[in-house]
Amino acid sequence: MRVLLTGAAGFIGGAVRHELESAGHDVVGIDLMLPEAHGQSVTPPGVLRLDVRLAAGESAWASALEGVDVVCHQAAVVGAGVTVADLPAYASHNDLGTAALLAAMAARGVRRLVLASSMVVYGEGRYRCAEHGVQRPGTRPVAALTAGRFDTPCPVCGGALDWAAVPEDARFEPRSAYAASKVAQEHYAAAWARQAAGAAIALRYHNVYGPGMPRDTPYSGVAAMFRSSLERGEAPQVFEDGRQTRDFVHVEDVARANAAALTAVATAAQEHVSAYNVASGHPITIGEVAALLGAGSGITPETTGGYRLGDVRHIVASPARAEAELGFRARISPAVGLPAFASSPLRESHQLV
Ligand code: UD1
């Protein structure tokens, strides 16, 4: 298939490009090469410098979308956002960027889309009380966090809650500008699919890590931060009690999920829209992540008891739907991938990466 890949020079886009080309697809890679993400790096060979926010009538779209069967949209400003001043960047690159891309696709009759979404659309994960079933505990009060009570109790009985895997039909509850922009992208894709007889698959990535991950910034995920601390000979700072749980999925598995989604969307019915968690299926605590990354370094991670107000406690996905419907199953477990990541190269990062 001929695939237009946006964000082709990025951490995930680069891995997707490699995977799609290895599978024999004809990939047209575009990237804005945002200085905030790429610094002064030159555009990689084979990648075209193009802004997805271009108006649909612009001639650059003619060559980029010529003969394209599927668009794989990875270009985005990522991270959780640090200040309110970041909001326009998310709205511009992620919301407007997706809307403009969809308009250009509609203008040129391209009707298939794979969209990079994120588990952040869910907000907190899923919780279950032994007595009262599934509960939504809400945000954690500052007083509880300060007192070191990181797990929220059942809102009905005050008893303990256990986390459970989040299915794709869980309610959207975006809590950051980035999360809001990912929800918006999914909604734009659904509107486009209805109006332009298109088909779209959204892939909700969990915590992605792997070679080429951007070096730590306030916008980086925790794996890059721990990895960078170790490189400096410093102990990774594990917040809370280290028992908060996530799913760390290797970037090569994310690339394979994209390849599976491309195949599925190519033959999907018109107006078909679906979303899939992309996860390893091996939940892990942040304390365990620090220990796996630090193993062999002689450095012991430090559990600080500190917290970030915006953090959720546990978010773990069910990978079942992606396996059943896309035939995608992650191959690299964190027990293998994280120790290997401890010595793989990172990329220089700048601001919003
Ligand atoms: C992260 C990303 C989010 C992305 C999602 C899925 C960020 C800021 N968040 O969400 O955008 O969509 O993965 O890929 O990029 N922690 C420490 N020590 C540190 C930093 C963090 O213990 O130095 C802890 C945090 O308190 C949190 C956990 O690690 O409990 C995960 O943090 P992080 O990777 O930043 O955010 P996620 O919520 O998992």
Side-chain angles (χ1 to χ4, degrees), residues 79-80 118-120 178 205-208 219-222 225-226 237-239 244 246 286 308 311:
S118 168
M119 56 75 158
V120 291
Y178 173 63
Y205 304 158
H206 283 250
N207 294 64
V208 185
Y219 300 86
S220 305
V222 69
M225 296 181 115
F226 287 172
Q237 302 291 296
V238 180
F239 300 154
Q244 61 273 42
R246 297 287 188 280
I286 296 299
R308 298 188 307 196
D311 278 334

Short mmCIF file of all heavy atoms in Angstrom, two decimals, residues 79-80 118-120 178 205-208 219-222 225-226 237-239 244 246 286 308 311, ligand 1:
data_model
loop_
_atom_site.label_atom_id
_atom_site.label_comp_id
_atom_site.label_asym_id
_atom_site.label_seq_id
_atom_site.Cartn_x
_atom_site.Cartn_y
_atom_site.Cartn_z
N GLY A 79 3.58 14.97 25.39
CA GLY A 79 3.83 15.38 26.78
C GLY A 79 2.53 15.82 27.42
O GLY A 79 1.49 15.91 26.76
N ALA A 80 2.57 16.10 28.71
CA ALA A 80 1.33 16.42 29.40
C ALA A 80 1.03 17.92 29.40
O ALA A 80 -0.03 18.35 29.81
CB ALA A 80 1.40 15.90 30.83
N SER A 118 -3.94 8.14 22.54
CA SER A 118 -3.20 7.86 23.78
C SER A 118 -4.14 7.41 24.88
O SER A 118 -5.32 7.79 24.90
CB SER A 118 -2.50 9.15 24.22
OG SER A 118 -2.02 9.02 25.53
N MET A 119 -3.58 6.67 25.82
CA MET A 119 -4.35 6.25 26.99
C MET A 119 -4.75 7.45 27.87
O MET A 119 -5.59 7.33 28.74
CB MET A 119 -3.60 5.20 27.81
CG MET A 119 -2.23 5.58 28.28
SD MET A 119 -2.16 6.74 29.67
CE MET A 119 -0.56 6.45 30.35
N VAL A 120 -4.12 8.61 27.62
CA VAL A 120 -4.49 9.78 28.43
C VAL A 120 -5.94 10.21 28.20
O VAL A 120 -6.47 10.98 28.99
CB VAL A 120 -3.55 11.00 28.21
CG1 VAL A 120 -2.17 10.74 28.76
CG2 VAL A 120 -3.50 11.41 26.75
N TYR A 178 -2.89 18.14 26.34
CA TYR A 178 -2.52 17.06 25.42
C TYR A 178 -3.65 16.04 25.33
O TYR A 178 -4.06 15.64 24.23
CB TYR A 178 -1.23 16.40 25.91
CG TYR A 178 -0.84 15.16 25.14
CD1 TYR A 178 -0.53 15.23 23.80
CD2 TYR A 178 -0.81 13.91 25.77
CE1 TYR A 178 -0.18 14.10 23.09
CE2 TYR A 178 -0.45 12.77 25.07
CZ TYR A 178 -0.13 12.87 23.73
OH TYR A 178 0.21 11.74 23.03
N TYR A 205 -2.01 4.54 22.54
CA TYR A 205 -0.72 4.07 23.05
C TYR A 205 -0.68 4.21 24.56
O TYR A 205 -1.07 5.23 25.12
CB TYR A 205 0.43 4.90 22.49
CG TYR A 205 0.54 4.99 20.99
CD1 TYR A 205 1.23 6.04 20.41
CD2 TYR A 205 -0.04 4.04 20.15
CE1 TYR A 205 1.37 6.15 19.03
CE2 TYR A 205 0.10 4.14 18.77
CZ TYR A 205 0.80 5.19 18.22
OH TYR A 205 0.93 5.30 16.86
N HIS A 206 -0.11 3.22 25.22
CA HIS A 206 0.19 3.36 26.65
C HIS A 206 1.61 3.94 26.76
O HIS A 206 2.01 4.69 25.88
CB HIS A 206 -0.10 2.05 27.38
CG HIS A 206 -1.59 1.94 27.57
ND1 HIS A 206 -2.20 2.03 28.78
CD2 HIS A 206 -2.59 1.85 26.65
CE1 HIS A 206 -3.52 1.99 28.61
NE2 HIS A 206 -3.77 1.87 27.33
N ASN A 207 2.36 3.66 27.80
CA ASN A 207 3.64 4.35 27.98
C ASN A 207 4.69 3.77 27.03
O ASN A 207 5.22 2.69 27.27
CB ASN A 207 4.08 4.22 29.44
CG ASN A 207 3.13 4.95 30.37
OD1 ASN A 207 1.96 4.59 30.47
ND2 ASN A 207 3.60 5.98 31.02
N VAL A 208 4.97 4.52 26.00
CA VAL A 208 5.88 4.03 24.96
C VAL A 208 7.33 4.33 25.35
O VAL A 208 7.63 5.41 25.84
CB VAL A 208 5.57 4.70 23.61
CG1 VAL A 208 6.42 4.10 22.50
CG2 VAL A 208 4.09 4.59 23.27
N TYR A 219 8.54 17.53 29.74
CA TYR A 219 7.46 16.97 28.93
C TYR A 219 7.66 15.49 28.63
O TYR A 219 6.85 14.87 27.97
CB TYR A 219 7.36 17.74 27.60
CG TYR A 219 7.07 19.22 27.79
CD1 TYR A 219 8.09 20.12 28.01
CD2 TYR A 219 5.77 19.69 27.76
CE1 TYR A 219 7.83 21.48 28.19
CE2 TYR A 219 5.50 21.04 27.93
CZ TYR A 219 6.53 21.92 28.15
OH TYR A 219 6.26 23.25 28.33
N SER A 220 8.78 14.91 29.09
CA SER A 220 9.09 13.51 28.74
C SER A 220 8.36 12.54 29.64
O SER A 220 8.02 12.86 30.78
CB SER A 220 10.58 13.23 28.92
OG SER A 220 11.35 14.10 28.19
N GLY A 221 8.20 11.33 29.15
CA GLY A 221 7.66 10.26 29.97
C GLY A 221 8.73 9.79 30.97
O GLY A 221 9.92 10.08 30.82
N VAL A 222 8.27 9.03 31.97
CA VAL A 222 9.15 8.67 33.08
C VAL A 222 10.32 7.77 32.67
O VAL A 222 11.41 7.87 33.24
CB VAL A 222 8.31 8.05 34.23
CG1 VAL A 222 7.77 6.68 33.85
CG2 VAL A 222 9.11 7.97 35.50
N MET A 225 13.12 9.86 31.72
CA MET A 225 13.67 10.60 32.87
C MET A 225 14.57 9.70 33.72
O MET A 225 15.67 10.10 34.11
CB MET A 225 12.54 11.18 33.71
CG MET A 225 11.77 12.20 32.91
SD MET A 225 10.45 12.93 33.85
CE MET A 225 11.00 14.58 33.94
N PHE A 226 14.09 8.50 33.99
CA PHE A 226 14.91 7.55 34.77
C PHE A 226 16.20 7.22 34.02
O PHE A 226 17.29 7.18 34.60
CB PHE A 226 14.13 6.26 35.04
CG PHE A 226 13.04 6.39 36.07
CD1 PHE A 226 12.15 5.34 36.29
CD2 PHE A 226 12.90 7.54 36.83
CE1 PHE A 226 11.14 5.44 37.24
CE2 PHE A 226 11.89 7.66 37.79
CZ PHE A 226 11.01 6.60 37.99
N GLN A 237 14.40 9.27 40.59
CA GLN A 237 13.51 9.72 41.67
C GLN A 237 12.13 9.11 41.43
O GLN A 237 11.42 9.51 40.50
CB GLN A 237 13.41 11.25 41.66
CG GLN A 237 14.76 11.95 41.82
CD GLN A 237 15.34 11.76 43.21
OE1 GLN A 237 14.76 12.23 44.18
NE2 GLN A 237 16.46 11.06 43.31
N VAL A 238 11.77 8.15 42.26
CA VAL A 238 10.47 7.49 42.11
C VAL A 238 9.46 8.22 42.99
O VAL A 238 9.62 8.28 44.21
CB VAL A 238 10.55 6.00 42.52
CG1 VAL A 238 9.20 5.32 42.38
CG2 VAL A 238 11.61 5.28 41.70
N PHE A 239 8.43 8.80 42.38
CA PHE A 239 7.45 9.56 43.15
C PHE A 239 6.45 8.63 43.85
O PHE A 239 6.40 7.44 43.57
CB PHE A 239 6.70 10.52 42.23
CG PHE A 239 7.58 11.53 41.54
CD1 PHE A 239 7.20 12.10 40.33
CD2 PHE A 239 8.80 11.92 42.08
CE1 PHE A 239 8.01 13.03 39.68
CE2 PHE A 239 9.62 12.86 41.45
CZ PHE A 239 9.22 13.40 40.24
N GLN A 244 2.48 2.95 41.96
CA GLN A 244 1.55 3.35 40.89
C GLN A 244 1.84 2.48 39.65
O GLN A 244 3.00 2.18 39.37
CB GLN A 244 1.64 4.85 40.59
CG GLN A 244 2.97 5.40 40.13
CD GLN A 244 3.90 5.79 41.26
OE1 GLN A 244 4.02 5.07 42.25
NE2 GLN A 244 4.60 6.89 41.12
N ARG A 246 1.40 1.18 35.54
CA ARG A 246 1.24 1.56 34.14
C ARG A 246 1.46 0.33 33.27
O ARG A 246 1.81 -0.74 33.76
CB ARG A 246 2.30 2.61 33.73
CG ARG A 246 2.22 3.95 34.46
CD ARG A 246 1.05 4.78 33.98
NE ARG A 246 1.07 6.12 34.53
CZ ARG A 246 0.67 6.48 35.75
NH1 ARG A 246 0.23 5.54 36.59
NH2 ARG A 246 0.70 7.73 36.14
N ILE A 286 5.84 1.73 38.82
CA ILE A 286 6.92 2.67 38.48
C ILE A 286 8.19 2.29 39.27
O ILE A 286 9.30 2.42 38.75
CB ILE A 286 6.46 4.12 38.77
CG1 ILE A 286 5.27 4.48 37.85
CG2 ILE A 286 7.61 5.12 38.59
CD1 ILE A 286 5.55 4.42 36.36
N ARG A 308 3.10 14.57 41.90
CA ARG A 308 2.73 15.62 40.96
C ARG A 308 1.21 15.64 40.94
O ARG A 308 0.58 14.58 40.73
CB ARG A 308 3.28 15.32 39.55
CG ARG A 308 4.79 15.26 39.51
CD ARG A 308 5.32 15.15 38.09
NE ARG A 308 4.72 14.05 37.35
CZ ARG A 308 5.21 13.55 36.21
NH1 ARG A 308 6.32 14.05 35.71
NH2 ARG A 308 4.60 12.57 35.59
N ASP A 311 -0.85 13.80 38.18
CA ASP A 311 -0.68 12.37 37.90
C ASP A 311 -1.90 11.54 38.30
O ASP A 311 -2.54 11.81 39.32
CB ASP A 311 0.53 11.82 38.65
CG ASP A 311 1.84 12.10 37.93
OD1 ASP A 311 1.81 12.25 36.70
OD2 ASP A 311 2.88 12.17 38.61
C1 UD1 B 1 2.77 9.36 29.94
C2 UD1 B 1 2.86 10.66 29.19
C3 UD1 B 1 1.63 10.90 28.40
C4 UD1 B 1 1.49 9.76 27.42
C5 UD1 B 1 1.38 8.47 28.21
C6 UD1 B 1 1.24 7.28 27.31
C7 UD1 B 1 4.07 12.60 29.89
C8 UD1 B 1 4.29 13.65 30.95
N1 UD1 B 1 3.09 11.74 30.12
O1 UD1 B 1 1.76 9.49 30.94
O2 UD1 B 1 1.68 12.12 27.70
O3 UD1 B 1 0.36 9.91 26.63
O4 UD1 B 1 2.51 8.31 29.04
O5 UD1 B 1 2.38 7.07 26.59
O6 UD1 B 1 4.76 12.56 28.90
N2 UD1 B 1 7.30 9.63 37.83
C9 UD1 B 1 8.31 9.36 38.75
N3 UD1 B 1 9.49 10.03 38.63
C10 UD1 B 1 9.74 10.94 37.64
C11 UD1 B 1 8.70 11.21 36.70
C12 UD1 B 1 7.50 10.53 36.83
O7 UD1 B 1 8.14 8.55 39.65
O8 UD1 B 1 10.84 11.48 37.59
C13 UD1 B 1 6.02 8.89 37.97
C14 UD1 B 1 4.80 9.79 37.90
O9 UD1 B 1 4.52 10.31 39.16
C15 UD1 B 1 3.74 8.82 37.39
C16 UD1 B 1 4.52 7.82 36.53
O10 UD1 B 1 5.89 7.99 36.89
O11 UD1 B 1 3.15 8.15 38.46
C17 UD1 B 1 4.35 7.99 35.05
O12 UD1 B 1 4.71 9.30 34.69
P1 UD1 B 1 4.74 9.85 33.19
O13 UD1 B 1 5.45 8.91 32.30
O14 UD1 B 1 5.27 11.25 33.22
O15 UD1 B 1 3.21 10.07 32.83
P2 UD1 B 1 2.00 9.10 32.47
O16 UD1 B 1 0.88 9.58 33.27
O17 UD1 B 1 2.28 7.66 32.61
#
